[in-house]
Amino acid sequence: MKTFKYIAPIVKKRFLNIILGILILLVVDAIQLIIPKIVKNAIDGLGQEGFTQHDLLITALIIIGMSVVIYFLKMLWRIVLIGNSWRIEKELRQNYYNHLMLMSQNFFTRSKTGDLMARATNDMNAIRMMFGFGFIALVDTLFLSVSSFMLMVTINFKLTMMAILPLPIMTVFIIIFGRKIHIKFKDVQEAFSALSGMIQENISGIRVVKAFVQEKNETDKMCKLSKEYVEKNISLVKLNAMFHPFMWLIISYSIGIVVIFGGITVIKNVISVGSYVAFSSYLGQLIWPMIAIGWVVNMYQRGTASLKRINQILDTQPEITDAKADDNLTHFKGNIKISGLDFAYPGTDKKIFEDVSVEINIGETLAIAGRTGCGKSTLIDLIMRVYDPPENTIFLDSNPVSSYPLSVLHSNISAVPQDIFLFSDTIENNIKFGKPEATIEDVERVAKMANVYNDIIEFNEGFQTVVGERGVTLSGGQKQRIAIARAFLTDPEILILDDSLSAVDTKTEKSIIEQTIELRKNKTTIIIAHRISSIQHANKIIVIDSGKISEEGTHEELLENGELYHDLHEKQQIAQRLEED
């Protein structure tokens, strides 16, 4: 039952629909079971006096009428039950997607996008088939097999026992093969996930692949994964190839038994010809459940294997939660206090920070400098709770950062990272992403603030220009400035620019940062930049080195110290002069 723990509530909500569909299905089966009786009476009546052509015509019309009713009822139960399976799949996929939205960044760092996509498509399809045709076949199998068996017994018990003699062999065969199908289908789904992940990564990184002339190597890797996927599918096909013909072999034995011994009982006048025909019809209706048993087992094993793969994701709990959040805290002004912060990444012992303390007041601009890899971005991640900081080390307006619901925290902080993501949509919609209700005038205003307005209006479609996936049709500098405009539009209490102007020239970067500082005099801003010239106007600058704040002060004060900040500044000044020369 653990396998069905997440889907059971979804199925339960549609219980009445399922019952309705089952009732319609059972009515259809019942009518199908009546028809052989009518045929039996007609055949037996042919040899009796008083049975006329009129009686024959009435019998034919009754059978035709029943067939018409069966047609409409079959159409109805398909709409109800198959439609229900699509709705179950839709809700489970929505729950899966909603759960992904709750997961922390660390989860997506560990997981492959292609694998998550495979679970949302192929696995969901297998689950839908199990709750659609698989469920229908199960109900049909149980009702028709039991009913047909009982009606066959009423005709001749001995003949019935002979006809079902091969069935125990089939049961053992189904149990053995069912387990193997489950294992092999799981292998197929995992191979598909690996293949999807490879394709997704190569399409996303096609520029890198081409830049390093790795098309052949990546194609070879793709061929290998594709071959593995085909081999695992062929292995499953081979199993099915043995499974279904064996079912028909068993069925053939039953038919042969009925032909031989049923014919003998007719010759000996134990049963009538009509009864023999009816018995054969019921055997024919019993054959479908016998075949369907294999089909049901196949779809059940595929569906449960896929459900377990979905459950693996749904069982994974978010690392960052609102467990300690106070729902009464719906806003903060932007005071940030970091006190005695020690931090190491989850699963490691190496400390990134040791006893880090700094305070940022409303309206101040804090700049963070330091060597590459010193932890500048990690400090920002801790403020935003991408990673959970230790208790009572980071405060917003005197409240621990963990006391704010994540929705409040993220709606009042906007961060622009160096690695920009733009959606395959218009420039306007990309800028409006955090504030969909914004007007075009608002969009144009922030585009000017981010110094990207002139670039945009040069495009033929202007703000309606559709950028490629991840903004591939734009330059690096244009993508960064559009992302900054997107952050400006939300007008957050805390704005973080995490080396988000690395792709623009020095002059443009300096202009944007100076304008940002001027426009956000009453709000908190944090800037990470490698260019010292771009952060010199910040109210406070901290330098991180060896996991600690080694320097703190204004640009002038830090230059006078003659330490790391001074060295970085001097090196950049020399590099700039060399470039100018």
Side-chain angles (χ1 to χ4, degrees):
M1 290 304 296
K2 286 182 179 179
T3 304
F4 296 90
K5 61 182 175 180
Y6 292 113
I7 203 167
I10 299 172
V11 175
K12 188 177 179 181
K13 284 195 291 186
R14 308 196 175 278
F15 184 72
L16 292 178
N17 276 348
I18 293 171
I19 293 299
L20 175 63
I22 290 173
L23 289 174
I24 297 170
L25 176 60
L26 295 180
V27 169
V28 170
D29 288 345
I31 295 172
Q32 288 178 318
L33 291 169
I34 293 171
I35 291 176
K37 281 280 187 185
I38 296 171
V39 173
K40 169 190 174 299
N41 293 335
I43 292 173
D44 287 343
L46 292 174
Q48 297 175 1
E49 291 184 12
F51 192 82
T52 64
Q53 291 182 3
H54 178 265
D55 295 326
L56 211 56
L57 179 63
I58 293 297
T59 301
L61 289 174
I62 290 171
I63 293 172
I64 291 169
M66 285 183 168
S67 299
V68 171
V69 172
I70 288 172
Y71 167 76
F72 284 105
L73 289 179
K74 274 190 173 183
M75 184 171 62
L76 187 58
W77 70 246
R78 283 173 181 267
I79 292 171
V80 174
L81 291 176
I82 302 300
N84 217 47
S85 69
W86 281 98
R87 293 184 183 94
I88 288 170
E89 180 196 11
K90 177 256 178 190
E91 192 165 343
L92 182 62
R93 182 183 285 113
Q94 189 64 53
N95 290 349
Y96 174 80
Y97 179 80
N98 292 344
H99 189 75
L100 289 181
M101 292 297 101
L102 296 175
M103 301 309 292
S104 61
Q105 185 172 304
N106 204 30
F107 169 82
F108 293 101
T109 302
R110 296 192 308 265
S111 305
K112 283 194 172 185
T113 304
D115 176 57
L116 297 177
M117 288 294 296
R119 294 174 199 248
T121 50
N122 256 28
D123 286 305
M124 289 292 178
N125 182 58
I127 293 166
R128 173 177 54 79
M129 289 296 292
M130 179 176 67
F131 281 93
F133 282 109
F135 180 75
I136 291 164
L138 176 63
V139 174
D140 224 16
T141 297
L142 292 174
F143 182 78
L144 277 179
S145 57
V146 173
S147 301
S148 297
F149 174 78
M150 291 175 67
L151 290 167
M152 288 165 67
V153 168
T154 61
I155 294 172
N156 189 282
F157 177 79
K158 186 177 179 181
L159 184 60
T160 303
M161 292 299 104
M162 289 181 176
I164 66 167
L165 200 60
L167 292 186
I169 301 171
M170 183 184 291
T171 303
V172 174
F173 188 79
I174 287 170
I175 292 170
I176 294 170
F177 268 71
R179 291 171 181 167
K180 292 183 178 180
I181 288 171
H182 181 93
I183 294 167
K184 288 191 178 293
F185 185 72
K186 186 180 179 183
D187 291 341
V188 166
Q189 294 298 76
E190 288 175 354
F192 180 77
S193 292
L195 185 64
S196 299
M198 177 76 179
I199 294 171
Q200 186 272 331
E201 284 184 350
N202 275 276
I203 292 174
S204 297
I206 191 65
R207 283 186 169 185
V208 177
V209 173
K210 288 183 173 292
F212 286 89
V213 198
Q214 291 299 302
E215 292 93 336
K216 186 179 184 306
N217 286 341
E218 294 304 306
T219 300
D220 291 343
K221 289 179 186 176
M222 175 58 65
C223 286
K224 183 181 177 182
L225 284 176
S226 186
K227 184 180 178 183
E228 288 176 4
Y229 178 57
V230 170
E231 286 174 351
K232 289 185 185 300
N233 267 289
I234 289 174
S235 179
L236 181 61
V237 168
K238 286 179 180 177
L239 196 63
N240 283 325
M242 289 187 284
F243 188 60
H244 292 288
F246 183 82
M247 302 286 285
W248 278 107
L249 181 63
I250 299 297
I251 290 164
S252 298
Y253 287 149
S254 292
I255 294 172
I257 289 169
V258 170
V259 169
I260 295 171
F261 293 99
I264 292 171
T265 55
V266 172
I267 291 169
K268 292 182 177 180
N269 290 321
V270 176
I271 61 173
S272 66
V273 174
S275 296
Y276 175 75
V277 171
F279 189 93
S280 298
S281 296
Y282 289 132
L283 178 63
Q285 294 198 36
L286 187 61
I287 286 173
W288 151 244
M290 291 166 72
I291 296 170
I293 287 171
W295 198 27
V296 168
V297 169
N298 197 328
M299 281 192 285
Y300 174 79
Q301 296 297 350
R302 288 171 179 248
T304 52
S306 290
L307 263 178
K308 286 175 182 177
R309 280 168 49 81
I310 296 296
N311 290 349
Q312 284 176 353
I313 303 299
L314 297 179
D315 282 338
T316 306
Q317 294 304 309
E319 296 170 6
I320 311 298
T321 68
D322 284 335
K324 299 177 182 178
D326 182 352
D327 292 333
N328 295 318
L329 295 175
T330 58
H331 191 75
F332 54 83
K333 295 178 180 178
N335 280 310
I336 304 173
K337 182 181 179 182
I338 300 174
S339 177
L341 173 65
D342 290 341
F343 178 74
Y345 285 119
T348 65
D349 297 323
K350 184 182 177 181
K351 284 190 176 181
I352 304 299
F353 297 120
E354 190 172 349
D355 196 28
V356 169
S357 298
V358 65
E359 192 164 350
I360 315 161
N361 297 315
I362 298 171
E364 285 188 343
T365 297
L366 173 73
I368 306 175
R371 295 187 179 92
T372 301
C374 69
K376 299 186 292 292
S377 296
T378 303
L379 188 62
I380 300 306
D381 288 342
L382 291 169
I383 293 172
M384 295 184 64
R385 287 191 70 202
V386 172
Y387 300 102
D388 255 334
E391 282 290 316
N392 299 318
T393 55
I394 299 181
F395 301 85
L396 296 175
D397 294 357
S398 302
N399 297 306
V401 68
S402 59
S403 65
Y404 289 94
L406 288 169
S407 58
V408 173
L409 190 68
H410 295 158
S411 62
N412 285 281
I413 301 177
S414 284
V416 185
Q418 182 179 356
D419 182 22
I420 301 301
F421 184 93
L422 296 181
F423 294 92
S424 184
D425 202 342
T426 64
I427 292 175
E428 179 187 351
N429 287 342
N430 268 289
I431 293 175
K432 287 167 59 175
F433 183 75
K435 193 177 180 182
E437 70 278 8
T439 63
I440 185 62
E441 289 78 16
D442 293 329
V443 172
E444 290 175 352
R445 173 177 56 81
V446 294
K448 290 174 182 176
M449 290 169 59
N451 210 350
V452 73
Y453 178 82
N454 291 335
D455 292 55
I456 295 171
I457 60 174
E458 286 180 3
F459 296 129
N460 291 333
E461 301 297 326
F463 281 88
Q464 298 309 310
T465 301
V466 176
V467 302
E469 189 176 4
R470 299 181 68 93
V472 71
T473 56
L474 303 173
S475 71
Q478 288 170 336
K479 286 192 288 187
Q480 287 185 332
R481 284 175 285 158
I482 287 172
I484 289 171
R486 179 165 63 191
F488 282 162
L489 188 61
T490 60
D491 193 27
E493 299 303 326
I494 299 173
L495 173 66
I496 300 169
L497 302 180
D498 185 0
D499 203 20
S500 51
L501 286 167
S502 57
V504 302
D505 60 82
T506 306
K507 184 179 178 181
T508 303
E509 180 185 34
K510 185 177 179 182
S511 172
I512 293 172
I513 289 179
E514 286 178 356
Q515 190 173 195
T516 300
I517 293 171
E518 178 65 27
L519 292 170
R520 291 184 54 81
K521 282 183 176 178
N522 299 318
K523 297 197 174 182
T524 306
T525 305
I526 300 175
I527 300 172
I528 295 175
H530 285 96
R531 295 169 184 159
I532 299 298
S533 58
S534 301
I535 59 175
Q536 60 187 8
H537 298 296
N539 302 108
K540 185 187 295 183
I541 302 170
I542 61 172
V543 181
I544 298 178
D545 188 30
S546 300
K548 297 180 180 180
I549 296 178
S550 60
E551 300 175 70
E552 182 177 344
T554 63
H555 174 70
E556 291 76 16
E557 290 171 347
L558 296 181
L559 286 180
E560 288 178 7
N561 288 345
E563 296 181 13
L564 178 58
Y565 185 86
H566 176 270
D567 293 343
L568 293 172
H569 179 263
E570 286 299 309
K571 287 177 182 177
Q572 290 179 15
Q573 290 287 88
I574 293 169
Q576 187 176 341
R577 284 196 292 268
L578 288 173
E579 284 180 11
E580 290 172 355
D581 292 342

